[in-house]
């Protein structure tokens, strides 16, 4: 299975997986940061330090990694003709949901920066399970391709 990428196909796939790992690492870290962040008093020096950490994690790791994963994933999909395959439709749905979760996290970081603390620590811990479960399902779909 080579497609238009020819000999670079496996390199592109390796890069796709590397950036998936960066993206997921950020997805696991940010809600953890939120739990520590919301224990601080709005406007305090500690609050400002967490806002800075969250902004850097988003700008340096999360958003660029997600963009590269999407770009390379779509290139791979065109290359392998995945758009006509069942596993890919299911994977795409889950990845869209994961991107939505990413967007929700960015929104929550903005709320925290404004001094709003809407969710309990427990709810944030629960939210932290989302990327883990989604990653397991996506990897099984991409590797096993059960349908
Ligand atoms: C963002 C949108 C994504 C798209 C469009 C996409 C698309 C693809 C495609 C088409 C392949 C098959 C490549 C080939 O065999 O030539 C692939 C492979 C793979 N993807 Fe994605 N992907 C995306 C995101 C993700 C995410 C979020 C994960 C993990 C959480 C992931 C994990 C993998 C893995 C592990 C493989 C290697 C499967 C194998 O060849 O055995 N992908 N991806």
């Amino acid at each position: 299975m080579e497609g238009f990428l020819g000999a670079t196909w496996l390199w592109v796939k390796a890069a796709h997986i590397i950036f998936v790992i960066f993206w997921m690492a950020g997805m696991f870290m940010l809600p953890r940061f939120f739990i520590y962040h919301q224990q601080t008093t709005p406007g305090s020096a500690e609050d400002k330090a967490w806002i800075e950490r969250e902004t850097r994690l988003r700008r340096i790791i999360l958003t660029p990694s997600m963009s590269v994963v999407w770009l390379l994933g779509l290139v791979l999909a065109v290359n392998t003709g995945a758009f006509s395959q069942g596993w890919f439709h299911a994977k795409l749905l889950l990845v869209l949901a994961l991107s939505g979760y990413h967007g929700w996290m960015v929104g929550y970081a903005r709320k925290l920066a404004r001094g709003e603390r809407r969710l309990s620590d427990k709810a944030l811990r629960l939210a932290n399970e989302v990327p883990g479960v989604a990653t397991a399902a996506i990897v099984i779909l991409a590797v096993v391709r059960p349908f």
Side-chain angles (χ1 to χ4, degrees):
M1 193 189 356
E2 278 202 348
F4 72 88
L5 288 174
T8 58
W9 165 53
L10 286 176
W11 289 97
V12 175
K13 188 146 84 165
H16 175 66
I17 295 169
I18 290 164
F19 280 92
V20 161
I21 292 169
F22 293 159
W23 184 24
M24 292 309 125
M27 298 272 257
F28 290 127
M29 280 169 79
L30 200 54
R32 276 269 123 210
F33 279 19
F34 291 164
I35 292 170
Y36 298 124
H37 186 174
Q38 41 183 42
Q39 286 160 8
T40 66
T41 311
S44 64
E46 234 192 314
D47 177 43
K48 291 196 178 104
W50 280 111
I51 294 171
E52 173 71 16
R53 286 181 198 120
E54 285 158 10
T55 308
R56 281 168 151 262
L57 184 64
R58 270 169 44 212
R59 296 221 175 117
I60 301 171
I61 311 265
L62 270 165
T63 305
S65 305
M66 181 184 69
S67 311
V68 175
V69 168
W70 266 104
L71 181 73
L72 298 182
L74 290 175
V75 169
L76 284 167
V78 173
N79 183 68
T80 53
F83 285 102
S84 60
Q85 296 162 17
W87 69 271
F88 185 68
H89 297 154
K91 174 174 170 172
L92 212 53
L93 264 180
L94 285 173
V95 176
L96 277 170
L98 209 54
S99 304
Y101 173 78
H102 179 141
W104 171 80
M105 281 202 313
V106 170
Y108 196 78
R110 295 212 175 104
K111 287 191 184 83
L112 278 180
R114 287 199 300 265
E116 295 171 33
R117 275 103 169 99
R118 293 200 181 176
L119 292 179
S120 65
D121 292 358
K122 197 174 166 208
L124 282 173
R125 271 194 204 98
L126 215 66
N128 214 0
E129 304 298 327
V130 171
V133 174
T135 303
I138 292 169
V139 170
I140 290 168
L141 283 168
V143 176
V144 182
R145 302 186 183 183
F147 46 86

